[in-house]
Amino acid sequence: MNQKVVWKNEELFGCEYFSITKEEKNFSAKGTIIYVEGDESNAHIVEYKVDLDTNWFTKKLTIIVDEHNSLNLMSDGMGNWFKNDGQVIDKLKGAIDIDISATPFSNSLPINRMDWVLNQEGHFEMVYISIPSLEVKKVPQSYKYINNNGILRYFKYRCYDYETTICVDEQGLILDYPNVFRRVK
């Protein structure tokens, strides 16, 4: 898989350039997000890189916000998370995937890791990273595979009381996340 996409942020003014490449024993996903929250003086640039194994488990995450605030996390893919210095982050124990608030790429992780059948539902604990603060917490999410249309697949996505239907392409990358993100064609 070698793919490049641009997502428009429909909630805030902004967009993301995203690329994912398959290397020998892993995937490397990179994104550059530019957006404005509120007025023009609150503009942000976010750059991230996620190293994944071939089963779509996150191994390493680096996020840089506004060229100076950064977050580095590592995972063993079994629900254990570590800081750069190797220190265990107990409050994230059990979470497998990441959810970076400013990108729809995060949705691809649980979607691509499972072999879905129609009406199957999966429940996940996610490492949620709030942008631009880089606050980290564990949150529950679920996906239910509800429909397909050729190569397009539709999932009912839920986090706490929020629920929507997202559409992904054959690579598991978001085409439409209603009123939040839309792929630029």
Side-chain angles (χ1 to χ4, degrees), residues 3-184:
Q3 192 166 355
K4 298 175 184 176
V5 300
V6 173
W7 285 298
K8 177 183 177 190
N9 187 323
E10 295 187 327
E11 204 171 34
L12 304 170
F13 178 80
C15 66
E16 173 180 358
Y17 169 80
F18 172 82
S19 67
I20 186 164
T21 55
K22 183 168 177 142
E23 298 169 354
E24 283 185 32
K25 296 183 178 180
N26 63 4
F27 291 100
S28 180
K30 297 177 185 177
T32 300
I33 303 162
I34 299 171
Y35 75 98
V36 178
E37 190 171 24
D39 63 47
E40 65 188 45
S41 66
N42 203 9
H44 299 282
I45 183 166
V46 180
E47 295 177 285
Y48 67 89
K49 181 176 185 238
V50 182
D51 294 329
L52 307 158
D53 69 14
T54 55
N55 295 312
W56 291 84
F57 285 101
T58 301
K59 299 313 241 175
K60 185 177 180 184
L61 165 69
T62 301
I63 303 175
I64 301 169
V65 176
D66 297 332
E67 301 177 339
H68 58 82
N69 294 331
S70 65
L71 174 69
N72 295 290
L73 298 175
M74 290 174 284
S75 173
D76 61 6
M78 299 166 65
N80 298 301
W81 292 86
F82 310 91
K83 295 180 181 177
N84 240 10
D85 61 5
Q87 182 181 356
V88 175
I89 307 170
D90 289 327
K91 71 179 183 177
L92 302 179
K93 185 157 185 66
I96 299 295
D97 295 304
I98 57 167
D99 183 357
I100 303 169
S101 69
T103 178
F105 166 66
S106 307
N107 300 96
S108 300
L109 302 176
I111 287 173
N112 282 338
R113 197 175 53 257
M114 295 182 61
D115 292 323
W116 295 91
V117 295
L118 204 55
N119 294 315
Q120 179 181 1
E121 187 168 9
H123 298 272
F124 307 91
E125 289 188 294
M126 310 290 281
V127 174
Y128 180 82
I129 301 125
S130 182
I131 302 295
S133 71
L134 297 176
E135 176 188 345
V136 177
K137 64 182 176 180
K138 188 166 65 169
V139 301
Q141 295 180 359
S142 67
Y143 293 82
K144 183 176 182 180
Y145 181 29
I146 59 171
N147 193 9
N148 65 51
N149 181 3
I151 60 172
L152 304 182
R153 292 180 292 162
Y154 296 84
F155 290 84
K156 179 76 66 181
Y157 163 74
R158 175 175 227 164
C159 182
Y160 295 116
D161 292 337
Y162 176 80
E163 188 175 293
T164 192
T165 299
I166 59 176
C167 175
V168 299
D169 66 11
E170 69 275 14
Q171 304 296 326
L173 297 175
I174 292 285
L175 286 169
D176 185 25
Y177 187 133
N179 303 312
V180 183
F181 300 104
R182 182 175 307 277
R183 175 103 54 95
V184 176

